[in-house]
Amino acid sequence: MAVDFEATPSPCFLLDESLLRRNLELLAQVQRDSGATVICALKGFAMYSTFPLVRRYLTGVTASSLSEALLGEQEFGGEVHAYVPAYMPKEFDAIARIASHLTFNSLSEYERYCGRLAGASAGLRINPEYAEVETDLYNPCIPGSRLGVTAAQLGDRLPADISGLHFHTLCEKGSDTLERTLEHVEANFAAQLRQVRWLNMGGGHAITRQDYDVEHLVALIRNIRARYPNLQEVILEPGSAVAWETGYLISTVLDVVHNGGQRTAMLDTSFAAHMPDTLEMPYRPRIRGANDAAAQPEFHADGHRYNLGGLTCLAGDFLPSYTFPQPLQTGDRIVFEDMMHYTMVKTTTFNGVTLPAIAIAREDGSMDIIKTFGYEDYKRRI
Ligand SMILES: Cc1ncc(COP(=O)(O)O)c(C=O)c1O
């Protein structure tokens, strides 16, 4: 069924259920054919109104905060895994109560909390010091990275009640990258790999991208399971791949302004407020029916060229140079493609990280705590 882009409010994140189902079917096939457990990384996609569909295909979710863990428990209902770079002392016990698998980022975190696992199976995030990620902002293996324990830090030992290893070093990568990464993991953590019950291979597997080699992924997982019979579970926790190309951010042209030979279509959305990844990251969103003349200068001469302006007063809240087949008019809809993973959670609450409280230090020396935020605030925004 063709989606009616005129029928939504504006601006609006619009998910196409049939596209989500197509991704889920492929992920379920990976799960079936490889014997891996596939769970959805809520930090990438947390639109819980889709969970009745998602849970028919995937085993559970992975959470990176108490809010995400609660969302998993209350709205998904399958396994909830947890990994937080540093657990908040006041949230740890609640997360441990919910989580079936709980991964620590460092040995000091493990030592701080190992007596409070509440039955969760504990894992350790390892840093294989190998990643094929071009952009440092996404690269957990940059020198001095805060993410994961290196082989030198760990030596041959594994703390007594660690039953899993976790690595996350991929970002929208193919199975060939996973293969090379596994070689480094095996080279650096051979002793520990033989001691654990589960291995979580993180996210960043672009499984639902058209060129992804699913058979190769399945073969890699089967192979590692065969060579390490102690691994009762191999886990993949994709976020992007779940919601890859499943929906849009729909916006509307409010005005067109001209300055110095540049035309800017002013939209009722904002790159800074609604699509911060389009400014933070080296990536340009695709726009339905338009060409990206900044990325492909050959389109400069083609059609009608506009910058797209955001609604905040930040000077840089715009994207340069898209060309459209017709001149843009007030009221025209501008549809941004592939906005359901990361863009949406960055607009709502990234990683479910609790918003800072708001307080006033009064002139008389007293302190008024005006507001604190929690799970309900997080949930209401998705
Ligand atoms: C630990 C961990 N697991 C899983 C993911 C999901 O990755 P992706 O959405 O690229 O599949 C991330 C993303 O940052 C992550 O940090």
Side-chain angles (χ1 to χ4, degrees):
M1 289 273 284
V3 171
D4 181 359
F5 295 113
E6 299 291 330
T8 66
S10 180
C12 177
F13 284 110
L14 172 67
L15 176 117
D16 184 331
E17 197 173 47
S18 63
L19 299 177
L20 179 63
R21 186 190 294 278
R22 192 186 58 184
N23 285 353
L24 293 169
E25 278 168 358
L26 183 57
L27 294 170
Q29 181 195 322
V30 167
Q31 199 166 226
R32 248 190 339 267
D33 294 352
S34 69
T37 300
V38 182
I39 56 180
C40 173
L42 295 180
K43 71 187 83 191
F45 180 68
M47 190 174 167
Y48 65 90
S49 42
T50 67
F51 286 180
L53 178 67
V54 180
R55 78 164 84 93
R56 281 193 240 158
Y57 297 90
L58 304 186
T59 302
V61 300
T62 184
S64 46
S65 59
L66 176 57
S67 285
E68 287 188 354
L70 286 165
L71 192 75
E73 179 188 46
Q74 295 178 16
E75 300 295 331
F76 198 97
E79 285 181 15
V80 177
H81 297 216
Y83 160 72
V84 183
Y87 289 94
M88 303 257 279
K90 63 177 183 207
E91 295 189 348
F92 181 82
D93 293 324
I95 294 177
R97 183 187 54 75
I98 294 168
S100 58
H101 300 59
L102 192 150
T103 297
F104 293 107
N105 183 59
S106 66
L107 291 166
S108 47
E109 278 277 285
Y110 161 77
E111 275 151 23
R112 189 167 296 124
Y113 293 114
C114 62
R116 290 159 56 181
L117 283 166
S121 174
L124 195 62
R125 178 166 176 169
I126 52 173
N127 180 341
E129 297 174 90
Y130 177 82
E132 299 181 13
V133 179
E134 298 77 15
T135 311
D136 281 356
L137 193 61
Y138 312 122
N139 187 347
C141 297
I142 50 169
S145 168
R146 72 193 198 290
L147 301 169
V149 180
T150 62
Q153 288 166 336
L154 201 51
D156 272 346
R157 75 204 164 100
L158 195 63
D161 41 8
I162 291 289
S163 18
L165 293 181
H166 178 297
F167 68 86
H168 170 77
T169 59
L170 277 63
C171 178
E172 297 184 5
K173 291 296 180 192
S175 57
D176 52 331
T177 303
L178 176 63
E179 182 169 19
R180 289 186 287 273
T181 304
L182 282 171
E183 284 165 13
H184 283 77
V185 168
E186 287 196 67
N188 290 340
F189 299 95
Q192 291 87 356
L193 258 182
R194 300 232 165 264
Q195 295 170 51
V196 290
R197 219 168 40 70
W198 54 268
L199 174 66
N200 185 325
M201 306 204 295
H205 315 273
I207 299 169
T208 49
R209 195 171 64 196
Q210 244 173 6
D211 61 355
Y212 191 88
D213 189 345
V214 174
E215 280 179 25
H216 184 222
L217 171 68
V218 168
L220 287 175
I221 297 170
R222 286 187 168 183
N223 182 283
I224 196 146
R225 291 180 61 220
R227 285 184 301 111
Y228 294 87
N230 53 300
L231 289 180
Q232 290 166 29
E233 283 176 277
V234 171
I235 301 152
L236 300 178
E237 49 177 30
S240 283
V242 176
W244 188 260
E245 295 187 338
T246 58
Y248 317 92
L249 178 56
I250 295 167
S251 66
T252 302
V253 177
L254 300 176
D255 189 20
V256 176
V257 298
H258 302 253
N259 187 8
Q262 301 277 334
R263 265 184 311 198
T264 301
M266 305 288 278
L267 306 180
D268 63 353
T269 187
S270 157
F271 303 98
H274 298 162
M275 296 171 263
D277 47 333
T278 63
L279 299 181
E280 286 169 6
M281 314 295 189
Y283 114 91
R284 297 261 300 169
R286 279 177 291 115
I287 293 172
R288 212 170 178 80
N291 287 315
D292 183 345
Q296 291 167 283
E298 65 270 24
F299 288 124
H300 257 255
D302 242 33
H304 304 267
R305 186 156 63 85
Y306 293 85
N307 301 330
L308 298 176
L311 208 47
T312 72
C313 44
L314 175 73
D317 188 4
F318 77 99
L319 295 184
S321 260
Y322 286 87
T323 58
F324 292 81
Q326 284 107 31
L328 293 180
Q329 315 276 355
T330 300
D332 283 352
R333 291 242 148 161
I334 303 292
V335 177
F336 293 88
E337 302 263 13
D338 197 18
M339 288 284 146
M340 302 317 295
H341 55 102
Y342 289 100
T343 313
M344 190 175 173
V345 287
K346 283 218 150 183
T347 309
T348 52
T349 311
F350 191 38
N351 278 228
V353 172
T354 305
L355 295 172
I358 297 172
I360 302 176
R362 297 287 182 198
E363 288 167 290
D364 66 5
S366 64
M367 175 75 69
D368 275 351
I369 311 297
I370 308 297
K371 248 181 215 173
T372 58
F373 297 93
Y375 172 61
E376 289 306 328
D377 303 290
Y378 161 74
K379 188 175 174 191
R380 201 170 43 81
R381 287 161 65 103
I382 316 169

